[in-house]
Amino acid sequence: MMTIPAKPAVRPADPRFSSGPTKKRPGWTTDALKDAALGRSHRAKPGKAKLKEAIDRTRAILGVPETHKIAIVPASDTGAIEMAMWSMLGARPVDIFAWESFGEEWVTDAKQLKLDAKVHTAGYGALPDLKAARLDADIIFTQNGTTSGVRVPNFAWIAAKREGITINDATSAVFAQPIDWAKCDVTTFSWQKVLGGEGAHGMLILSPRAIARLESYTPDRALPKIFRLTKKGKVDLEIFEGSTINTPSLLATEDYIDALRWAESIGGLEALFARANASTKALTDWIARTAWVESLTADPATQSNTSVCIKVVDPRVTGLDAEGQAEFAKKLASLLEKEGVALDAASYRAAPPGLRIWCGATIEASDVEALTPWMDWAFETLVSDLAR
């Protein structure tokens, strides 16, 4: 008869390991929002100043070149990507690199837009052949696969002398991984990932090449108001100075500014990288010494340092049918949540069954270290139930 180990003595100080919206920065309280321009128009001076501050602090921390324009746009990262696709694509053929659920959504958009698109795919845990990118084609890719735990290891595969533009969905990479601004013409992200901001707002960063595309190409399709980036054939520069297309939440804006100030206070981008890397190392070190799990990521060089996805490889579980394996993974996440040691740690619904532990910059490595024995305990508890 199997003996279930005793529950670990130490619990994570904060059990929030959701991959988005993610845990707030250390020490966050609602006092951080006391200076929000509430009850004011976003077009009034105070509101517009807050939006401009969010843009300026984003540029400073990320090191975005002055040649690039930054805008706050509607509908989170999804809105930012679709804005770029609807407004810019169709002038050239398109290479789409998709290896997880959100990248697959851009494939769907490409079909609906009737683009001349070549789709390059790979299963969860792997990357497609990035070297297949064509010089004369536009490129869409996801820098970090939030639901697969796989990231692009570098930007060397994007040609400096490319003829097309590149669109980088960087939502779970930005503030945790380097971005080569010379290789990324459109970069998008949302506030609710690495810095723990609120949902609903997207960020759109455009290079001079992307701006030139907007001003030289008019797609043969109707553009909804929230996608319109030009006026009379020229880029609407006011959008990149804080005059948003639609009404933003100034409460959420204040929260994002607070997160940016925190990032500055701890040492900026390199400190954010270090925090994400430390939490990821705590988790991958445990994976390396633990027989019943493996990283979903096949190649360590492409291991995400934000959304770490784990699969169960113990034969007592892999011997179950697909439904049984999915049920085991569901119970594993539920038991961790019931014990209050890991909230929202289940794999994404379309991904292979397992766990997904967020390791972005607001997570403490000590909390990840405290979680690992609890995952061992939960696994042994559930395997014991299988044996009965």
Side-chain angles (χ1 to χ4, degrees):
M1 178 179 294
M2 291 187 61
T3 301
I4 300 173
K7 292 181 181 181
V10 178
R11 294 172 178 269
D14 194 316
R16 287 174 287 188
F17 294 101
S18 164
S19 292
T22 63
K23 173 183 173 291
K24 292 294 188 186
R25 60 149 175 96
W28 184 93
T29 70
T30 54
D31 285 345
L33 308 177
K34 66 181 184 300
D35 293 329
L38 303 182
R40 297 298 307 272
S41 168
H42 62 295
R43 302 195 188 283
K45 286 183 179 180
K48 191 173 179 180
K50 290 288 187 180
L51 295 165
K52 182 65 162 54
E53 181 181 357
I55 290 171
D56 290 345
R57 289 183 183 275
T58 297
R59 182 184 301 279
I61 291 177
L62 291 178
V64 179
E66 290 296 329
T67 53
H68 290 50
K69 302 297 183 183
I70 304 174
I72 298 169
V73 299
S76 194
D77 177 68
T78 300
I81 283 284
E82 292 189 328
M83 178 182 289
M85 291 184 68
W86 281 66
S87 300
M88 301 183 195
L89 298 186
R92 291 179 174 274
V94 183
D95 282 319
I96 305 178
F97 295 91
W99 58 89
E100 51 101 47
S101 58
F102 291 105
E104 291 167 0
E105 294 293 343
W106 315 143
V107 174
T108 299
D109 275 326
K111 291 177 180 178
Q112 292 180 345
L113 292 171
K114 297 180 172 58
L115 300 177
D116 176 14
K118 186 173 183 180
V119 179
H120 310 266
T121 62
Y124 279 84
L127 285 176
D129 181 11
L130 299 175
K131 294 180 180 179
R134 295 169 289 178
L135 284 174
D136 65 341
D138 294 328
I139 296 170
I140 304 173
F141 72 101
T142 306
Q143 183 170 337
N144 185 91
T146 313
T147 64
S148 70
V150 175
R151 67 173 173 179
V152 172
N154 55 57
F155 296 85
W157 56 280
I158 300 175
K161 296 183 178 180
R162 64 194 180 280
E163 298 169 22
I165 61 171
T166 60
I167 299 177
N168 176 9
D169 174 358
T171 197
S172 60
V174 70
F175 298 113
Q177 301 167 16
I179 295 176
D180 187 341
W181 298 108
K183 298 289 185 73
C184 298
D185 299 307
V186 179
T187 303
T188 68
F189 65 93
S190 54
W191 294 349
Q192 74 267 28
K193 294 294 184 181
V194 177
L195 292 187
E198 292 301 299
H201 297 76
M203 299 295 285
L204 181 69
I205 304 177
L206 303 183
S207 76
R209 294 165 57 90
I211 292 170
R213 170 66 63 83
L214 282 169
E215 295 183 342
S216 64
Y217 170 69
T218 302
D220 185 20
R221 64 181 73 99
L223 287 180
K225 176 184 176 180
I226 61 171
F227 287 180
R228 297 174 197 160
L229 291 166
T230 61
K231 282 185 178 180
K232 298 179 180 180
K234 294 293 183 181
V235 166
D236 185 357
L237 294 178
E238 288 189 353
I239 295 172
F240 302 90
E241 295 295 324
S243 294
T244 55
I245 294 174
N246 73 331
T247 306
S249 165
L250 293 177
L251 189 66
T253 301
E254 189 70 23
D255 186 65
Y256 179 54
I257 291 172
D258 172 73
L260 293 168
R261 288 172 175 162
W262 168 74
E264 293 165 359
S265 74
I266 66 170
L269 198 58
E270 292 304 318
L272 296 173
F273 289 177
R275 286 180 62 88
N277 290 339
S279 290
T280 300
K281 185 177 187 302
L283 191 54
T284 54
D285 283 353
W286 169 76
I287 292 171
R289 64 177 184 265
T290 303
W292 64 270
V293 292
E294 287 182 1
S295 172
L296 185 59
T297 306
D299 181 359
T302 66
Q303 172 67 62
S304 169
N305 68 338
T306 56
S307 53
V308 181
C309 298
I310 300 168
K311 61 182 178 180
V312 180
V313 296
D314 188 281
R316 290 166 291 184
V317 178
T318 58
L320 302 173
D321 60 19
E323 184 178 348
Q325 292 182 53
E327 183 64 19
F328 184 91
K330 182 179 179 181
K331 289 180 178 179
L332 189 61
S334 295
L335 185 53
L336 294 170
E337 183 150 346
K338 180 181 178 181
E339 291 293 331
V341 294
L343 307 179
D344 309 319
S347 294
Y348 186 73
R349 60 182 180 270
L355 297 173
R356 179 173 56 160
I357 309 300
W358 183 255
C359 291
T362 61
I363 300 295
E364 301 289 359
S366 58
D367 282 339
V368 177
E369 291 170 353
L371 172 62
T372 56
W374 281 97
M375 290 192 287
D376 286 326
W377 171 84
F379 172 78
E380 294 296 343
T381 299
L382 294 176
V383 164
S384 177
D385 289 343
L386 288 177
R388 291 174 185 173

